[in-house]
Amino acid sequence: MSVSTKYNPREVEQKWFDSWMQRGFFSSKPNPKKEPYTIVIPPPNVTGVLHMGHMLNNTIQDVLIRRARMQGKEACWVPGTDHASIATEAKVVAMLKEKGIEKSDLTREEFLKHAWEWKEKYGGIILEQLKKLGASCDWDRTRFTMEEDMSAAVIEVFVDLYRKGKIYRGVRMVNWDPKGGTALSDEEVIPKDTMAKMYHLQYEVVGQEGQFITIATSRPETIMADVAVAVNPNDERYKQLHGQKVRIPLLGREIPIILDEYVSIDFGTGALKVTPAHDLNDYELGQKHKLPTIDILDDAGFLNEKAQLYVGQDRFAARRNIVKDLEEAGLLVKVEEYASVLQTSERTGAVIEPRLSMQWFCKMDDMAKPAKEAVMEDEIRLHPPKFKNMYRSWMENIRDWCISRQLWWGQQIPAYYLPDGSYVVATTAEEALRLARQQAGNEGLQASDLRQDEDVLDTWFSSWLWPISVFNGFKDPDNKDILYYYPTNDLVTAPEILFFWVARMIMAGYEFRNEPPFKNVYLTGIVRDAQGRKMSKQLGNSPDPLDLIDQYGADGVRTGMLFSSQAGNDLMFDEKLIEQGRNFSNKIWNAFRLIKGWEVDENLPCPNETAMKWYESRFNEAFVQIEDHFSKFRISDALLAVYKLVWDDFCSNYLEMIKPAYQQPIDARTLVTTIDFLEKNLKVLHPFMPFITEELWHELKERKEKEYLIVAAWPKKDKFDKNIIDQMEVVLKVVAAIRNVRNSKNIPNNKQLALSVKVMGQHDYEPFLPIISKLGNMSEISFVQENLEGAISFVEAGDEFFIPMDGNIDVEAERERLVKELEYTQGFLNSVAKKLSNERFVNGAPEAVISNERKKQADAEAKIKALEQSLASL
RNA sequence: GGGGUGUUAGCUCAGCUGGUUCAGAGCACCUGCCUUACAAGCAGGGGGUCACUGGUUCGAAUCCAGUACGCCCCA
C-alpha cells in the first residue's frame, strides 16, 4: 500500500467542508419530530480577525453542535457578527483619514455610506476564517446586528422600554477626549502610570481671617469649579471647622465645608475639594450633598467664562498659570510628587477629561431581579458554577445602563426634539411628528421642526437581543423558528462579558419573551501565552490561528486547544499542545493504514475472541465516562478520555493483540469486528476532529450519497463486562513486567523468552495466554507448582511469574530488588492493618470501604508470601 | 479598600460526594529500540512534605479558620 505514513490535513480539510456544505448538513429547519438543539454564536466584532480566543470558543461550540447532530437532534448553530460601533467607526475614520477625508467634513449619511462599504468589503473575514476551523454553523442563517430587521428590533425595544418607563435621560460622567471631541468607552481609555504632582492649597475660613484649611489636589486649575470642601466627620483636626465656610483662593467665592466618611483621613491632607463637574467621585459626592455643578471647561479642554479666571486658556496652560499665581499669593503650601494613573485616549493620546453630559439610560433593577434568580435557582446553569457568586454580586449592585454613544455607526436613538427642547420617542419620524403635535398642542409642527437625537445606541443594546432577534422574535413573535429554537440550549462565551452581555441577554429574555435565552452558559478561559500574558495584537504574542491550521491541520489545532482547557480556567497556550493534537491525528491515520492494509483469508479461524470481547467492553466503559463528562460540560476531560481510549486501548493494546504477523492475512471475523470498532472510535472522535474522521469514514468503506460521519448515529450506552476489563488489566501489567525484565536485562525484543506462572490467586490466565505470548513475545508459557531456580521473578495479583535466565542472573541485584519490594509491601500492609484494627474506623466507615480494606490486606499478604518464596529460592 | 478565586511533578493542568480510579495526565527528562501502521513512533523508567500553620474527623490534596503569595471583578 502506498499511502503516506504521515497524515496530510491540507489535502482533505477543504474537500470535506465543501462537501458538508453542499449536502446541507449544517442547515436546520424546525422539525417537530426531532428535539431542537440550538446555539447562537457570540457574534464576533465585525472588524475582527480570528484570534486564539475565538478558536477555543468556537471549537467548543462546534464540538457541542456536532455531537448533538449525531445524537439525532435538530442541531442549529446560528452565526453572525455585531456592528461594534466604536471599533468600526474608528476603523472607518482612520481609513477616511488616509484618503484625506475628515469625518467632520462629512454628513451623517455620507459617513454611513462609507461605513457600509467598509463593512461589505471586510466584515465577513472572520466568518470565513471560522469555516477553516470547521465550524458547522448554519451559514444560511448568518445575521448582522445592524441589518434592517435587527435594527428595527432594537428601535422597537427602545420605544417599548421607554414607554414602560425603563429608559430615561440623565446626566453622567463620561470619558471625554478633548482632542477627538468625543466620549470614549472605558475600553478605549488607556491608563498610564505616571508621577503626578499633588498641590497643597490654602483655603481661608470665612469670618476667621488668617485661618486656613489646606486641601490637596492634583488639578489646581479646577478650583474655580469647586462647590465645597469635604472632610471626614471623624477627623479630629477639622472638628472646629464643621459648619464653616471657606473662600476659594484667588477667586474668593465662598463654599461650605461638608462632612462625609468617604474622605480618607490619611490621604493628602484629609481635606478634599469637591468639583462635581470634573471628577466622578466628586460628582457623586455633590449629588449626595445636593451641591451645584459648575462646568468650567469647553469641548476642547479650554476654560470657559464660568471659570472667570484664565478664560480661554488650555487646561494645562491654566494649571501652570494658576500654580504660579497661587505661589505668589502665598497660598501654595507645598507640592508633592506621587505615583498616579493617567487616563489617556487610545486614539489621540490626549489626557481624558471626566465630563458630565446628558446620556440615555436603561433602568436595571426591575430587569435584574428575574435575571439574578434564574441563575441563582439554576434555571440557567453557569459552567463552572464558581461564576455564580460573581454574577450575583454584580446583579445585586447593578447600576443603570448608559446606552447612548456619541457616534454615528449604530442605531440612531429614536428620540425627536421639539423646538422647545422637549422630546418624543417613536419608532418612525411620522409617528414622532404625530406625538410631537399632540404633546405641544400645535398641529402646525412640521417634520423639519423636529430634530432626531444625534447619538446611537450602545452595541450591547443590539446584542442583548441576539438570541431572540436572530430568529426574528421581535418582528414576528410567533414565527415557527422562534417557537422551535428558543430558548436556545447552550451559550459558550468568555467570563469577561458575563455582565456586559450574558446578564443582559438573560434580562432581555425574561423581559421580552418571559423565558430564559438559554439553559447553560459555558464560560471559557482566556488564552494566554507561555508567560501568562493575555494574547493581544499590541504585544504581538499571539500566533496567527490560520498559520497554525495550515501547519498542523484544523483537527490538530482543535484538539490542541482543548487538551488543557478546563471550563473557566485560563489556558496557557503552548504550540506543543497543537503538536500533540497533530500527532494524535497521525496516530489515528496510521491505525487506519494498518487495518486497511490487511488481506482477508476467509478460511482462517478467529483467534481473537478474548481481545474483541475486551475492547468492546472497554469501549462501552469509556463511552459511559465520555458521556458523563459531556453532560457536565467537561469537554477537555471528554477529549482526554477519547484520546486515551483510542491511543492506549485501541492502538497500543487492542491492535497489537490482534495484529497478524507481517504479511500474514487476517481472519474475516476479526477484520469486520475491528473495522466496526474503528468506526465507533471515529464517531466519538468526530466532534473533536471532524476532518480526519470524515476522511477515514469514507476511506474505510464505500458510502452512500448521504451516508456521512457528520450525520452518523452517535453510539448508545451499552453494557460492559467489568470482569474482563479487570482481568485484562492484570494481564497488561504482567506484559509490562515482562517488558520491564527485557529492558532492565537488555534483552532484545525479538528474542523470545519463556514464562512460568505459579498461580496462587483466583485469576484465570487461560483465555489470555495467546495475548501474553504475543505482547510479551514468549516462546512458551507453562504453569508450575514450585518456584523456578535461576529465573527472574515478579509478583502480580498475588501470582508469581518466572522468566528463566539460563543462570545469567545477578543474584545480589535480584535479592535487593525483591527485598525493596517486600519492604514496601509490608509497610503498606501495616498501614492497612492499623486501619482495620482501629475500632472506630471499623464502626464508623461504610461497609464498602471496610471490605475494600480487607481486600487490600489479603492482596498484600499474598504478595508478601510470594515475594518471600522468591527470595528463598534465590 | 470590598468581594471572588487560586496555589498539586521541572512546565501546563486534572483530581467531582473526605476513604485504591489517590497522589494522576500530557509535555519535558533518563534508558533502550529506525521491531514492516506510526521516530509526528514503540517499550520501559525516574520525579511530588498536594503553599504554610492550626482545627474538624477513625481517616484530609479534598471540609473549616488563619497566614503568605498570585490572578480576576468592583471601587
Short mmCIF file of all heavy atoms in Angstrom, two decimals, chain A residues 281-301:
data_model
loop_
_atom_site.label_atom_id
_atom_site.label_comp_id
_atom_site.label_asym_id
_atom_site.label_seq_id
_atom_site.Cartn_x
_atom_site.Cartn_y
_atom_site.Cartn_z
N ASN A 281 -16.00 60.95 41.37
CA ASN A 281 -16.27 60.79 42.81
C ASN A 281 -16.87 62.06 43.38
O ASN A 281 -17.79 62.02 44.21
CB ASN A 281 -15.00 60.43 43.55
CG ASN A 281 -14.47 59.09 43.11
OD1 ASN A 281 -15.23 58.15 42.88
ND2 ASN A 281 -13.16 59.00 42.93
N ASP A 282 -16.33 63.19 42.92
CA ASP A 282 -16.86 64.46 43.39
C ASP A 282 -18.30 64.64 42.92
O ASP A 282 -19.12 65.22 43.62
CB ASP A 282 -16.01 65.63 42.84
CG ASP A 282 -14.64 65.69 43.49
OD1 ASP A 282 -14.28 64.71 44.17
OD2 ASP A 282 -13.94 66.70 43.32
N TYR A 283 -18.57 64.15 41.74
CA TYR A 283 -19.93 64.27 41.23
C TYR A 283 -20.91 63.53 42.14
O TYR A 283 -21.96 64.06 42.53
CB TYR A 283 -20.01 63.71 39.81
CG TYR A 283 -21.41 63.73 39.25
CD1 TYR A 283 -22.01 64.94 38.89
CD2 TYR A 283 -22.15 62.55 39.12
CE1 TYR A 283 -23.31 64.97 38.39
CE2 TYR A 283 -23.44 62.57 38.63
CZ TYR A 283 -24.03 63.78 38.27
OH TYR A 283 -25.30 63.81 37.80
N GLU A 284 -20.51 62.32 42.52
CA GLU A 284 -21.39 61.53 43.38
C GLU A 284 -21.53 62.18 44.76
O GLU A 284 -22.61 62.19 45.34
CB GLU A 284 -20.87 60.10 43.48
CG GLU A 284 -21.28 59.33 42.24
CD GLU A 284 -20.65 57.96 42.11
OE1 GLU A 284 -19.90 57.55 43.02
OE2 GLU A 284 -20.91 57.32 41.08
N LEU A 285 -20.43 62.72 45.23
CA LEU A 285 -20.46 63.43 46.50
C LEU A 285 -21.39 64.65 46.39
O LEU A 285 -22.18 64.94 47.30
CB LEU A 285 -19.03 63.90 46.82
CG LEU A 285 -18.59 64.01 48.27
CD1 LEU A 285 -18.90 62.76 49.06
CD2 LEU A 285 -17.10 64.33 48.31
N GLY A 286 -21.31 65.33 45.27
CA GLY A 286 -22.14 66.50 45.02
C GLY A 286 -23.62 66.15 44.99
O GLY A 286 -24.45 66.83 45.59
N GLN A 287 -23.92 65.01 44.33
CA GLN A 287 -25.31 64.56 44.27
C GLN A 287 -25.83 64.27 45.68
O GLN A 287 -26.93 64.69 46.05
CB GLN A 287 -25.41 63.25 43.45
CG GLN A 287 -25.15 63.41 41.98
CD GLN A 287 -26.27 64.16 41.28
OE1 GLN A 287 -26.13 65.36 41.03
NE2 GLN A 287 -27.35 63.48 40.96
N LYS A 288 -24.99 63.60 46.45
CA LYS A 288 -25.38 63.17 47.79
C LYS A 288 -25.66 64.38 48.68
O LYS A 288 -26.60 64.37 49.48
CB LYS A 288 -24.23 62.34 48.36
CG LYS A 288 -24.54 61.59 49.62
CD LYS A 288 -23.41 60.58 49.88
CE LYS A 288 -23.33 60.21 51.33
NZ LYS A 288 -22.06 59.49 51.63
N HIS A 289 -24.84 65.42 48.50
CA HIS A 289 -24.99 66.59 49.36
C HIS A 289 -25.76 67.72 48.68
O HIS A 289 -25.75 68.84 49.17
CB HIS A 289 -23.61 67.06 49.83
CG HIS A 289 -22.93 66.08 50.75
ND1 HIS A 289 -23.08 66.11 52.12
CD2 HIS A 289 -22.14 65.01 50.49
CE1 HIS A 289 -22.39 65.11 52.66
NE2 HIS A 289 -21.82 64.43 51.69
N LYS A 290 -26.36 67.39 47.56
CA LYS A 290 -27.19 68.36 46.83
C LYS A 290 -26.45 69.66 46.54
O LYS A 290 -26.93 70.75 46.82
CB LYS A 290 -28.48 68.65 47.62
CG LYS A 290 -29.32 67.39 47.83
CD LYS A 290 -30.73 67.72 48.25
CE LYS A 290 -31.65 66.52 48.14
NZ LYS A 290 -31.12 65.28 48.76
N LEU A 291 -25.27 69.50 45.98
CA LEU A 291 -24.45 70.66 45.64
C LEU A 291 -24.63 70.98 44.16
O LEU A 291 -24.94 70.09 43.37
CB LEU A 291 -22.98 70.36 45.93
CG LEU A 291 -22.64 70.09 47.40
CD1 LEU A 291 -21.25 69.47 47.52
CD2 LEU A 291 -22.74 71.38 48.21
N PRO A 292 -24.42 72.21 43.77
CA PRO A 292 -24.50 72.57 42.35
C PRO A 292 -23.28 72.03 41.60
O PRO A 292 -22.32 71.58 42.22
CB PRO A 292 -24.47 74.10 42.36
CG PRO A 292 -23.75 74.46 43.62
CD PRO A 292 -24.08 73.38 44.62
N THR A 293 -23.33 72.06 40.27
CA THR A 293 -22.14 71.71 39.49
C THR A 293 -21.78 72.91 38.62
O THR A 293 -22.65 73.56 38.05
CB THR A 293 -22.38 70.51 38.57
OG1 THR A 293 -23.47 70.81 37.71
CG2 THR A 293 -22.66 69.25 39.33
N ILE A 294 -20.51 73.18 38.57
CA ILE A 294 -20.04 74.27 37.74
C ILE A 294 -19.03 73.71 36.75
O ILE A 294 -17.99 73.19 37.16
CB ILE A 294 -19.36 75.36 38.61
CG1 ILE A 294 -20.35 75.85 39.68
CG2 ILE A 294 -18.88 76.52 37.73
CD1 ILE A 294 -19.70 76.74 40.73
N ASP A 295 -19.38 73.76 35.49
CA ASP A 295 -18.52 73.18 34.44
C ASP A 295 -17.71 74.30 33.82
O ASP A 295 -18.25 75.19 33.16
CB ASP A 295 -19.40 72.50 33.39
CG ASP A 295 -18.57 71.78 32.34
OD1 ASP A 295 -17.35 72.00 32.28
OD2 ASP A 295 -19.16 70.98 31.58
N ILE A 296 -16.40 74.29 34.03
CA ILE A 296 -15.58 75.40 33.55
C ILE A 296 -14.78 75.07 32.30
O ILE A 296 -13.94 75.85 31.87
CB ILE A 296 -14.61 75.88 34.65
CG1 ILE A 296 -13.65 74.75 35.06
CG2 ILE A 296 -15.38 76.42 35.87
CD1 ILE A 296 -12.43 75.26 35.80
N LEU A 297 -15.02 73.89 31.71
CA LEU A 297 -14.25 73.51 30.53
C LEU A 297 -15.16 73.37 29.31
O LEU A 297 -16.30 72.93 29.43
CB LEU A 297 -13.52 72.18 30.76
CG LEU A 297 -12.36 72.19 31.76
CD1 LEU A 297 -11.89 70.77 32.02
CD2 LEU A 297 -11.22 73.06 31.26
N ASP A 298 -14.61 73.73 28.13
CA ASP A 298 -15.40 73.52 26.92
C ASP A 298 -15.00 72.19 26.27
O ASP A 298 -14.16 71.45 26.80
CB ASP A 298 -15.24 74.69 25.96
CG ASP A 298 -13.85 74.77 25.34
OD1 ASP A 298 -13.05 73.83 25.53
OD2 ASP A 298 -13.56 75.79 24.69
N ASP A 299 -15.59 71.89 25.11
CA ASP A 299 -15.37 70.59 24.43
C ASP A 299 -13.91 70.29 24.17
O ASP A 299 -13.49 69.15 24.14
CB ASP A 299 -16.08 70.58 23.07
CG ASP A 299 -17.58 70.50 23.23
OD1 ASP A 299 -18.03 70.44 24.39
OD2 ASP A 299 -18.27 70.50 22.20
N ALA A 300 -13.14 71.37 23.93
CA ALA A 300 -11.76 71.16 23.52
C ALA A 300 -10.79 71.22 24.70
O ALA A 300 -9.58 71.17 24.52
CB ALA A 300 -11.37 72.16 22.46
N GLY A 301 -11.33 71.38 25.92
CA GLY A 301 -10.46 71.40 27.09
C GLY A 301 -9.94 72.79 27.45
O GLY A 301 -8.95 72.91 28.16
#
